[in-house]
Amino acid sequence: MEELTAVGATVVVAILAGLVAYLSNLRLARKTAQLERLNAQLEQLYGPLYAYSQSTAIAWKAFRDVYRPTGPYFSPDRPPTDLELKAWFTWTESVFHPANVKSAEIIRTHAHLLEGDSMPSEMLEFLAHVSGYEAALHEWHKGDHTNVTSLINYPPTYQEHVEATFQLLKRRQRDLLDEDLPTRP
């Protein structure tokens, strides 16, 4: 009887040890998958978008500091001068639009990495804004400068959305990395 009890206890201990190992491996696999997704989101989507939005904001500020530092750039009460229009076309074609096109491509090709269950409105508006500039630039290249901007304005909360999401994902990444996870062989 004692032998049977000892065998039974050994079997129970082995089953419990297996269950603990299984649950531990399951937890590790989930955390690893979460970390891999976060890394992909940061590397392929939100990191590049954050870099583009921040660098473009710096360029925009520098541009505005030199050209029309106060008030709206296009105002019916005070239209831009010929020099300001020339600068607008140059900076839009060579700085702002190329960065926005790259950002739009990143969004389109990595939309599966978006945070949340749907495409944020800021991103949809940004994509529409970039498309609107495609039409304007097409006309500019034909010599028609009637439309000096996209028909769709740059979404005022796009940059804030990208920055907030980037920072949220970085915090999650840091939190997961700070947890005591066993190292993989």
Side-chain angles (χ1 to χ4, degrees):
M1 186 64 158
E2 288 180 23
E3 288 178 14
L4 190 56
T5 303
V7 169
T10 303
V11 169
V12 169
V13 168
I15 290 172
L16 288 176
L19 183 60
V20 167
Y22 170 77
L23 292 174
S24 178
N25 287 337
L26 186 61
R27 179 180 167 270
L28 177 59
R30 284 184 181 151
K31 290 196 180 298
T32 300
Q34 288 174 338
L35 188 57
E36 286 173 357
R37 177 164 170 79
L38 280 169
N39 288 341
Q41 286 178 296
L42 288 166
E43 179 184 342
Q44 298 171 32
L45 182 62
Y46 288 100
L49 291 181
Y50 180 68
Y52 276 119
S53 70
Q54 293 297 305
S55 62
T56 303
I58 292 167
W60 175 253
K61 183 182 179 326
F63 171 75
R64 287 304 305 265
D65 286 348
V66 173
Y67 302 98
R68 291 204 161 218
T70 60
Y73 205 84
F74 296 100
S75 168
D77 301 333
R78 189 177 145 239
T81 66
D82 288 343
L83 177 67
E84 291 167 336
L85 276 175
K86 183 178 177 188
W88 173 260
F89 294 127
T90 299
W91 277 73
T92 299
E93 285 191 73
S94 61
V95 178
F96 306 128
H97 188 65
N100 287 346
V101 166
K102 288 176 183 173
S103 293
E105 184 62 22
I106 289 166
I107 294 168
R108 288 183 188 111
T109 58
H110 298 293
H112 63 286
L113 295 172
L114 284 166
E115 186 66 10
D117 294 332
S118 62
M119 176 78 73
S121 62
E122 295 88 351
M123 297 243 183
L124 290 172
E125 291 170 27
F126 176 79
L127 293 172
H129 168 75
V130 174
S131 295
Y133 262 107
E134 290 294 329
L137 266 73
H138 179 76
E139 295 300 317
W140 297 357
H141 292 156
K142 293 187 337 187
D144 181 357
H145 291 86
T146 307
N147 292 321
V148 293
T149 66
S150 171
L151 295 178
I152 298 114
N153 288 331
Y154 185 91
T157 58
Y158 170 76
Q159 184 179 350
E160 294 166 9
H161 170 76
V162 169
E163 182 174 1
T165 306
F166 175 80
Q167 290 174 350
L168 170 73
L169 294 176
K170 287 299 285 182
R171 276 192 306 276
R172 284 186 193 161
Q173 181 189 48
R174 192 170 41 253
D175 291 346
L176 275 174
L177 290 171
D178 286 345
E179 288 182 12
D180 190 21
L181 294 177
T183 57
R184 298 181 91 169

